[in-house]
Amino acid sequence: MFSFGTVFTFALLLIPPTEAVDSSYVAAVYEHNLILNPDPRVPLSRLEALQHLQKNLDIFEVQAARAAQQGAQIIVFPEDGLHGFNFSRTSISAYLETVPDPEQESWNPCLEPLRHNNTEVLQQLSCMARRNNLYLVANMADLQPCSVSAAPSSCPPDGRWQFNTNVVFRSDGLLVARYHKYNLYFEAAFDAPPEPEIVTFDTPFAGKFGLITCFDILFQEPTVILVEKGVRQIIFPAAWMNQLPLLDIIQFQRAFSLGANVTLLAANIRNDQLIMTGSGIYTPFSATYHHAQKGDPEEGRLLVARVPVLDPEWLGHNAASSEAAAVDESPGYCYSDTCLDSPASTAPVFVSSMMYDPFTFALLNATDGEMRVCNGTFCCYLQYRWVEETGRSELYALGAFDGTHTVNGRYAVQVCALVRCAGSDASSCGQEVDEAESKLDFMLEGKFASRHVYPSVLSSGMVLEQPERVEAAADGRVSLKHSSVMGGLVTACLYGRMYHLDTA
Ligand SMILES: *[C@@H]1O[C@H](CO)[C@@H](O)[C@H](O)[C@H]1NC(C)=O
Ligand SMILES: *[C@@H]1O[C@H](CO)[C@@H](O)[C@H](O)[C@H]1NC(C)=O
Ligand SMILES: *[C@@H]1O[C@H](CO)[C@@H](O)[C@H](O)[C@H]1NC(C)=O
Ligand SMILES: *[C@@H]1O[C@H](CO)[C@@H](O)[C@H](O)[C@H]1NC(C)=O
Ligand SMILES: *[C@@H]1O[C@H](CO)[C@@H](O)[C@H](O)[C@H]1NC(C)=O
């Protein structure tokens, strides 16, 4: 059934066919097995850097053409997909190009290659968009000179900014957007821009898209700012190292698209050594995604899907632009206050580390039941029932965590998670596991001190399930009900981000 590396599309578009003709578009994302510079810490000449970049550009060219043949109107390539990783501030020098600000200057690098020197990558990407007649999003390394003396200045001492940068080309090759990544993740070669940049671009086929990069997806700036401005289509190039049980990237891609009620065009790198895979085209109603499995050949993967336009302005709707959670505002699954306040509370708890955070856990100890686990005043409630034909040989636990994650990034969360424990001992709860046989019906609920709660259900073999029902109440309660599990349950999660408690 779950053949390795297959693309799963688990829901059809919930739009009337007549409307679909003119209010949908075809998007493509490419998961790229990039050709790395074997020695990224050694500075190269420009010629050597271009020879390396060309190997990845050649692959992009082939994939852009394949996407165009399948009708794609936009294609997204992953972060670091051309140059790679692990450069120092100096050793990346030969890879840098100065990307002009498209707000200041209208430039089609393919048609006017001589306007700016040292722009071979920009020229090729521009021609690639033009040749294939599609919008093209790629990630590259940008050098912006700045003045150290013009006080007050956050210009680095060497007089230049080096930015991790998304560039967007129109289908005729015009450079239409440039976004500098704000939330860097251990990237010695790059600077964060002094202020977060809120960057969008318009398309004739789907209206507005917003740009973020990789680690940005976990933070308020710029991601939630874009969503709160009414941007409903987000482009997400990433080079994301997966971490189960909660942050394999396909889990968070699915969860973010649902929780923020947006479309996410997500392109990740494929690199087995760095645990990078997981790309997709997600809408609140559908997901077309790819996640490689152990033993799969280490190769790229093009995904193409037709999806509905969500931009309200393009659709001619009233552009009221408050952030919408893709969840029903309702009293919640528990129509009284009984669930979270229920006496189903006194499960014996233990603390176990999940992704470096001390979760408070309790084991599911029966074939069905209800239970509550709290971390301080933050409580998670679970109703569950094992589906008959699957035995109870696997151990599951309900975990709650309220606090600040501090390892490899700092961010405040409230999380309710139902996890399969990796072994038969309670101390294995919270460890990585990606397979399970147990099918459970469940309702997971928490009362969050944030409106930003991202729901996901992951089943055996890295298969995402569309939560059957997610509801949010005005008092912060969010419930996730799922009673038609397709595969063994690996993780069900309500991931609450407490952006307001983040400290630098
Ligand atoms: C990057 O550097 C780290 C630590 O030096 C190393 O573990 C990792 O393998 C390197 N990755 C690449 C792609 O070179
Ligand atoms: C590009 O470089 C050449 C040779 O160094 C120089 O003559 C020319 O003025 C430069 N062009 C621009 C636009 O900077
Ligand atoms: C999500 O967006 C759709 C329109 O794209 C809207 O109809 C729906 O009400 C939104 N969901 C919520 C919970 O606001
Ligand atoms: C299971 O745990 C609940 C508390 O969550 C407790 O009330 C119940 O007695 C336990 N059942 C068994 C069979 O241990
Ligand atoms: C959550 O649990 C951890 C581990 O037991 C504990 O250190 C922390 O203080 C708890 N948080 C709250 C808010 O009580």
Side-chain angles (χ1 to χ4, degrees), residues 40-44 87-96 158 160 162 188-189:
R41 298 187 197 281
V42 177
L44 300 182
F87 295 98
S88 69
R89 192 174 177 80
T90 313
S91 71
I92 203 169
S93 293
Y95 289 86
L96 298 162
D158 57 0
R160 59 210 254 175
Q162 296 187 178

Side-chain angles (χ1 to χ4, degrees), residues 351 358 360 375-376 402:
V351 174
T360 303
N375 185 187
D402 181 5

Side-chain angles (χ1 to χ4, degrees), residues 36 40-41 85-86 271 273-274:
L36 288 164
R41 298 187 197 281
F85 332 98
N86 272 8
N271 183 300
Q273 195 198 335
L274 298 172

Side-chain angles (χ1 to χ4, degrees), residues 177-475:
R178 177 189 81 177
Y179 166 70
H180 297 137
K181 183 182 186 182
Y182 188 58
N183 299 281
L184 295 176
Y185 188 84
F186 304 102
E187 295 168 68
F190 293 120
D191 305 300
E195 299 293 331
E197 300 176 0
I198 306 301
V199 178
T200 62
F201 63 95
D202 285 294
T203 64
F205 52 85
K208 209 177 277 308
F209 288 85
L211 290 164
I212 62 174
T213 307
C214 205
F215 204 34
D216 283 336
I217 200 169
L218 287 176
F219 296 90
Q220 182 152 33
E221 292 174 320
T223 306
V224 177
I225 307 290
L226 282 166
V227 175
E228 285 177 345
K229 283 179 65 143
V231 177
R232 301 284 313 281
Q233 304 168 144
I234 306 281
I235 287 177
F236 177 59
W240 186 283
M241 298 177 71
N242 288 319
Q243 195 170 25
L244 285 167
L246 305 180
L247 286 182
D248 190 285
I249 192 57
I250 62 169
Q251 288 171 293
F252 204 73
Q253 287 165 355
R254 174 65 298 180
F256 183 79
S257 161
L258 285 174
N261 202 17
V262 298
T263 292
L264 192 68
L265 305 184
N268 198 7
I269 292 285
R270 170 69 188 279
N271 183 300
D272 289 347
Q273 195 198 335
L274 298 172
I275 325 167
M276 292 177 181
T277 180
S279 306
I281 298 166
Y282 303 83
T283 77
F285 344 96
S286 67
T288 300
Y289 63 98
H290 166 72
H291 192 287
Q293 310 239 10
K294 271 189 214 73
D296 285 357
E298 195 174 11
E299 62 190 14
R301 177 65 66 101
L302 179 70
L303 300 175
V304 180
R306 178 172 285 279
V307 290
V309 176
L310 294 190
D311 180 19
E313 277 182 54
W314 189 92
L315 292 167
H317 294 172
N318 190 354
S321 64
S322 67
E323 185 195 6
V327 291
D328 302 325
E329 291 280 344
S330 85
Y333 185 76
C334 300
Y335 293 101
S336 66
D337 287 336
T338 54
C339 282
L340 281 163
D341 311 326
S342 78
S345 49
T346 39
V349 298
F350 56 97
V351 174
S352 185
S353 175
M354 179 147 71
M355 297 172 47
Y356 308 105
D357 296 322
F359 273 70
T360 303
F361 279 109
L363 297 174
L364 278 60
N365 67 357
T367 322
D368 57 63
E370 53 182 325
M371 57 199 291
R372 194 173 73 148
V373 170
C374 301
N375 185 187
T377 56
F378 173 68
C379 293
C380 302
Y381 168 84
L382 177 74
Q383 266 178 17
Y384 66 94
R385 187 179 65 83
W386 245 266
V387 175
E388 303 278 335
E389 63 266 30
T390 61
R392 266 187 58 216
S393 55
E394 296 169 333
L395 194 63
Y396 282 79
L398 172 64
F401 177 70
D402 181 5
T404 296
H405 175 90
T406 55
V407 177
N408 296 343
R410 219 184 143 76
Y411 41 92
V413 292
Q414 286 183 334
V415 179
C416 290
L418 169 59
V419 297
R420 184 197 159 194
C421 306
S424 53
D425 196 89
S427 63
S428 72
C429 300
Q431 292 175 11
E432 296 200 18
V433 57
D434 60 9
E435 297 200 325
E437 288 182 356
S438 310
K439 295 188 176 175
L440 293 101
D441 294 346
F442 63 87
M443 196 280 289
L444 176 66
E445 185 173 88
K447 187 170 177 179
F448 295 85
S450 164
R451 291 184 296 118
H452 307 280
V453 179
Y454 304 109
S456 65
V457 178
L458 183 71
S459 62
S460 193
M462 302 311 295
V463 174
L464 291 168
E465 298 201 14
Q466 180 88 340
E468 183 183 326
R469 189 156 177 189
V470 180
E471 293 180 330
D475 66 358

Side-chain angles (χ1 to χ4, degrees), residues 484-501:
S484 47
V485 276
M486 298 186 295
L489 181 69
V490 172
T491 308
C493 180
L494 291 170
Y495 196 94
R497 268 293 279 120
M498 318 294 286
Y499 301 114
H500 57 289
L501 299 181

